[in-house]
Amino acid sequence: MTMGDAKPKAPLPFYATFAASAFSACWAETCTIPLDTAKVRLQLQGKALAGEAYVAPKYKGMFGTMATIAREEGAASLWKGIIPGLHRQCLFGGLRIGLYEPVRDLYIGKDHVGDPPLLKKIAAGLTTGALGICVASPTDLVKVRLQSEGKLAPGVPRRYSGAMNAYSTIVKQEGFTKLWTGLGPNVARNAIINAAELASYDQVKQTLLKLPGFTDNVVTHILSGLGAGFIAVCVGSPVDVVKSRMMGGQGVYKGTIDCFVQTFKNDGPGAFYKGFLPNFGRLGSWNVIMFLTLEQAKKAFTKE
């Protein structure tokens, strides 16, 4: 049974769901990464500590941040991290989305009759999100490192010349295992957000299809995608902030708990929802684009 469908259909082979999922995730990434770059810059921007001179925040709001980056660094800088972003989506998007339905159906069991229970959907989303990011976490690290580097003073070289240089430099300077820096919060974030996205899309679509006037069409997919994005941001923002700070901080924090404590102590509880609007703008639009593309890609594979 496919996501949100009332009637069971013959499942696509895994290679088809993986390919459709990876392609859809990559297309959504390409369209929305400027919003993600703005989100990362806002999340890494801390408050001045007690005793320090007040410095006005450089970045203000989603569109203000994007305008500042474009003005100071060039519009192309909004797509910083697109190469590791696409690496990430090929691996993580393909695995987490492609495995969701098989894992959900495994948890439900062959003899189940009726709609899949919400708890089983959430469990499947947590499982595939955690598995996928364990494989793809190095791509996330490189993406955040590239996105977090702003305008440099004249004569100051950039840490990395590109994505492949970043992978090799991190291995040489910090060690191979450091490619998995921030794995704890990254697994937590991606398992939670994946469960929120896929289970809520599944549930919202399933609910809408039972209402009069709704069919399995673009309007239903857009509404389901927006619902999935909003729920994912509400649930995942705190761990998303911690992940960005740990990956962008290079040894500033001793671990996940220390990052939570320092962020809370220095910046207050509101810091965990820093960049909420760009995050929702990013995840809401990302989910709409991804699910719209995914539904069409799956139909194309079904016709074949």
Side-chain angles (χ1 to χ4, degrees), residues 252-273:
V252 174
Y253 307 107
K254 296 172 186 173
T256 308
I257 303 300
D258 180 57
C259 186
F260 263 110
V261 171
Q262 283 199 45
T263 301
F264 183 84
K265 192 188 296 181
N266 296 334
D267 298 341
F272 293 113
Y273 283 90

mmCIF file of all heavy atoms in Angstrom, residues 252-273:
data_model
loop_
_atom_site.group_PDB
_atom_site.id
_atom_site.type_symbol
_atom_site.label_atom_id
_atom_site.label_comp_id
_atom_site.label_asym_id
_atom_site.label_seq_id
_atom_site.Cartn_x
_atom_site.Cartn_y
_atom_site.Cartn_z
ATOM 1 N N VAL A 252 33.950 23.351 19.804
ATOM 2 C CA VAL A 252 33.495 24.295 20.826
ATOM 3 C C VAL A 252 32.720 23.553 21.917
ATOM 4 O O VAL A 252 32.787 23.920 23.092
ATOM 5 C CB VAL A 252 32.610 25.397 20.190
ATOM 6 C CG1 VAL A 252 32.018 26.301 21.255
ATOM 7 C CG2 VAL A 252 33.421 26.208 19.192
ATOM 8 N N TYR A 253 31.987 22.511 21.521
ATOM 9 C CA TYR A 253 31.146 21.772 22.466
ATOM 10 C C TYR A 253 31.699 20.375 22.721
ATOM 11 O O TYR A 253 32.236 19.731 21.824
ATOM 12 C CB TYR A 253 29.712 21.666 21.909
ATOM 13 C CG TYR A 253 29.120 23.005 21.530
ATOM 14 C CD1 TYR A 253 28.969 23.367 20.190
ATOM 15 C CD2 TYR A 253 28.724 23.914 22.501
ATOM 16 C CE1 TYR A 253 28.436 24.604 19.831
ATOM 17 C CE2 TYR A 253 28.183 25.150 22.155
ATOM 18 C CZ TYR A 253 28.049 25.492 20.825
ATOM 19 O OH TYR A 253 27.524 26.708 20.474
ATOM 20 N N LYS A 254 31.552 19.923 23.988
ATOM 21 C CA LYS A 254 32.073 18.604 24.367
ATOM 22 C C LYS A 254 31.179 17.472 23.869
ATOM 23 O O LYS A 254 31.621 16.336 23.739
ATOM 24 C CB LYS A 254 32.200 18.514 25.894
ATOM 25 C CG LYS A 254 33.218 19.486 26.469
ATOM 26 C CD LYS A 254 33.141 19.487 27.992
ATOM 27 C CE LYS A 254 34.046 20.571 28.567
ATOM 28 N NZ LYS A 254 33.865 20.711 30.023
ATOM 29 N N GLY A 255 29.922 17.752 23.672
ATOM 30 C CA GLY A 255 28.989 16.732 23.208
ATOM 31 C C GLY A 255 27.601 17.327 23.060
ATOM 32 O O GLY A 255 27.399 18.544 23.222
ATOM 33 N N THR A 256 26.622 16.459 22.767
ATOM 34 C CA THR A 256 25.253 16.909 22.518
ATOM 35 C C THR A 256 24.655 17.632 23.719
ATOM 36 O O THR A 256 24.091 18.727 23.587
ATOM 37 C CB THR A 256 24.366 15.693 22.161
ATOM 38 O OG1 THR A 256 24.986 14.962 21.105
ATOM 39 C CG2 THR A 256 22.990 16.138 21.718
ATOM 40 N N ILE A 257 24.779 17.042 24.908
ATOM 41 C CA ILE A 257 24.198 17.635 26.112
ATOM 42 C C ILE A 257 24.859 18.980 26.414
ATOM 43 O O ILE A 257 24.184 19.958 26.747
ATOM 44 C CB ILE A 257 24.358 16.683 27.330
ATOM 45 C CG1 ILE A 257 23.713 15.317 27.034
ATOM 46 C CG2 ILE A 257 23.742 17.306 28.580
ATOM 47 C CD1 ILE A 257 22.229 15.375 26.740
ATOM 48 N N ASP A 258 26.199 19.029 26.267
ATOM 49 C CA ASP A 258 26.929 20.267 26.510
ATOM 50 C C ASP A 258 26.466 21.366 25.558
ATOM 51 O O ASP A 258 26.333 22.530 25.954
ATOM 52 C CB ASP A 258 28.443 20.030 26.347
ATOM 53 C CG ASP A 258 29.256 21.291 26.598
ATOM 54 O OD1 ASP A 258 29.123 21.866 27.694
ATOM 55 O OD2 ASP A 258 30.020 21.701 25.702
ATOM 56 N N CYS A 259 26.208 21.001 24.313
ATOM 57 C CA CYS A 259 25.729 21.974 23.325
ATOM 58 C C CYS A 259 24.345 22.498 23.712
ATOM 59 O O CYS A 259 24.087 23.709 23.644
ATOM 60 C CB CYS A 259 25.697 21.342 21.935
ATOM 61 S SG CYS A 259 25.296 22.515 20.623
ATOM 62 N N PHE A 260 23.452 21.596 24.143
ATOM 63 C CA PHE A 260 22.124 22.007 24.617
ATOM 64 C C PHE A 260 22.261 22.986 25.787
ATOM 65 O O PHE A 260 21.638 24.056 25.802
ATOM 66 C CB PHE A 260 21.319 20.785 25.080
ATOM 67 C CG PHE A 260 20.381 20.244 24.042
ATOM 68 C CD1 PHE A 260 20.616 19.023 23.438
ATOM 69 C CD2 PHE A 260 19.240 20.947 23.668
ATOM 70 C CE1 PHE A 260 19.755 18.512 22.476
ATOM 71 C CE2 PHE A 260 18.367 20.444 22.713
ATOM 72 C CZ PHE A 260 18.625 19.221 22.109
ATOM 73 N N VAL A 261 23.101 22.607 26.780
ATOM 74 C CA VAL A 261 23.251 23.406 28.006
ATOM 75 C C VAL A 261 23.848 24.777 27.687
ATOM 76 O O VAL A 261 23.344 25.808 28.147
ATOM 77 C CB VAL A 261 24.133 22.650 29.040
ATOM 78 C CG1 VAL A 261 24.477 23.563 30.218
ATOM 79 C CG2 VAL A 261 23.411 21.402 29.534
ATOM 80 N N GLN A 262 24.936 24.797 26.900
ATOM 81 C CA GLN A 262 25.584 26.069 26.566
ATOM 82 C C GLN A 262 24.664 26.976 25.755
ATOM 83 O O GLN A 262 24.630 28.193 25.965
ATOM 84 C CB GLN A 262 26.883 25.817 25.789
ATOM 85 C CG GLN A 262 28.043 25.359 26.653
ATOM 86 C CD GLN A 262 29.374 25.575 25.940
ATOM 87 O OE1 GLN A 262 29.620 26.621 25.363
ATOM 88 N NE2 GLN A 262 30.231 24.550 25.980
ATOM 89 N N THR A 263 23.929 26.389 24.817
ATOM 90 C CA THR A 263 22.994 27.182 24.001
ATOM 91 C C THR A 263 21.906 27.783 24.878
ATOM 92 O O THR A 263 21.574 28.968 24.766
ATOM 93 C CB THR A 263 22.368 26.311 22.892
ATOM 94 O OG1 THR A 263 23.401 25.781 22.065
ATOM 95 C CG2 THR A 263 21.408 27.118 22.027
ATOM 96 N N PHE A 264 21.358 26.973 25.795
ATOM 97 C CA PHE A 264 20.296 27.436 26.700
ATOM 98 C C PHE A 264 20.824 28.530 27.626
ATOM 99 O O PHE A 264 20.191 29.561 27.836
ATOM 100 C CB PHE A 264 19.766 26.266 27.524
ATOM 101 C CG PHE A 264 18.610 26.628 28.427
ATOM 102 C CD1 PHE A 264 17.316 26.654 27.937
ATOM 103 C CD2 PHE A 264 18.829 26.966 29.759
ATOM 104 C CE1 PHE A 264 16.249 27.004 28.760
ATOM 105 C CE2 PHE A 264 17.777 27.316 30.586
ATOM 106 C CZ PHE A 264 16.484 27.334 30.084
ATOM 107 N N LYS A 265 22.036 28.315 28.187
ATOM 108 C CA LYS A 265 22.633 29.243 29.144
ATOM 109 C C LYS A 265 23.004 30.568 28.478
ATOM 110 O O LYS A 265 22.740 31.640 29.012
ATOM 111 C CB LYS A 265 23.891 28.608 29.749
ATOM 112 C CG LYS A 265 24.440 29.354 30.985
ATOM 113 C CD LYS A 265 25.786 28.788 31.412
ATOM 114 C CE LYS A 265 25.662 27.356 31.871
ATOM 115 N NZ LYS A 265 26.970 26.802 32.323
ATOM 116 N N ASN A 266 23.636 30.493 27.313
ATOM 117 C CA ASN A 266 24.149 31.701 26.655
ATOM 118 C C ASN A 266 23.100 32.454 25.849
ATOM 119 O O ASN A 266 23.120 33.683 25.790
ATOM 120 C CB ASN A 266 25.319 31.348 25.728
ATOM 121 C CG ASN A 266 26.509 30.788 26.485
ATOM 122 O OD1 ASN A 266 26.697 31.076 27.659
ATOM 123 N ND2 ASN A 266 27.314 29.988 25.805
ATOM 124 N N ASP A 267 22.204 31.727 25.200
ATOM 125 C CA ASP A 267 21.266 32.360 24.261
ATOM 126 C C ASP A 267 19.801 32.268 24.668
ATOM 127 O O ASP A 267 18.944 32.863 24.022
ATOM 128 C CB ASP A 267 21.438 31.745 22.861
ATOM 129 C CG ASP A 267 22.831 31.984 22.294
ATOM 130 O OD1 ASP A 267 23.508 32.891 22.791
ATOM 131 O OD2 ASP A 267 23.238 31.260 21.372
ATOM 132 N N GLY A 268 19.512 31.465 25.707
ATOM 133 C CA GLY A 268 18.129 31.349 26.156
ATOM 134 C C GLY A 268 17.345 30.304 25.374
ATOM 135 O O GLY A 268 17.789 29.839 24.321
ATOM 136 N N PRO A 269 16.145 29.927 25.887
ATOM 137 C CA PRO A 269 15.352 28.873 25.239
ATOM 138 C C PRO A 269 14.899 29.216 23.824
ATOM 139 O O PRO A 269 14.709 28.341 22.993
ATOM 140 C CB PRO A 269 14.145 28.705 26.177
ATOM 141 C CG PRO A 269 14.097 29.957 26.992
ATOM 142 C CD PRO A 269 15.503 30.443 27.113
ATOM 143 N N GLY A 270 14.762 30.521 23.551
ATOM 144 C CA GLY A 270 14.333 30.925 22.208
ATOM 145 C C GLY A 270 15.324 30.541 21.129
ATOM 146 O O GLY A 270 14.957 30.433 19.952
ATOM 147 N N ALA A 271 16.587 30.308 21.526
ATOM 148 C CA ALA A 271 17.623 29.942 20.549
ATOM 149 C C ALA A 271 17.307 28.626 19.861
ATOM 150 O O ALA A 271 17.730 28.398 18.724
ATOM 151 C CB ALA A 271 18.982 29.846 21.236
ATOM 152 N N PHE A 272 16.567 27.740 20.541
ATOM 153 C CA PHE A 272 16.253 26.433 19.958
ATOM 154 C C PHE A 272 15.242 26.539 18.819
ATOM 155 O O PHE A 272 15.049 25.583 18.069
ATOM 156 C CB PHE A 272 15.748 25.468 21.032
ATOM 157 C CG PHE A 272 16.798 25.105 22.042
ATOM 158 C CD1 PHE A 272 16.697 25.507 23.361
ATOM 159 C CD2 PHE A 272 17.919 24.386 21.665
ATOM 160 C CE1 PHE A 272 17.678 25.192 24.290
ATOM 161 C CE2 PHE A 272 18.909 24.056 22.572
ATOM 162 C CZ PHE A 272 18.791 24.470 23.895
ATOM 163 N N TYR A 273 14.586 27.707 18.722
ATOM 164 C CA TYR A 273 13.674 27.932 17.598
ATOM 165 C C TYR A 273 14.171 29.084 16.728
ATOM 166 O O TYR A 273 13.410 29.702 16.008
ATOM 167 C CB TYR A 273 12.244 28.170 18.094
ATOM 168 C CG TYR A 273 11.600 26.867 18.498
ATOM 169 C CD1 TYR A 273 11.713 26.392 19.798
ATOM 170 C CD2 TYR A 273 10.939 26.067 17.562
ATOM 171 C CE1 TYR A 273 11.169 25.165 20.159
ATOM 172 C CE2 TYR A 273 10.386 24.847 17.912
ATOM 173 C CZ TYR A 273 10.510 24.407 19.216
ATOM 174 O OH TYR A 273 9.972 23.190 19.562
#
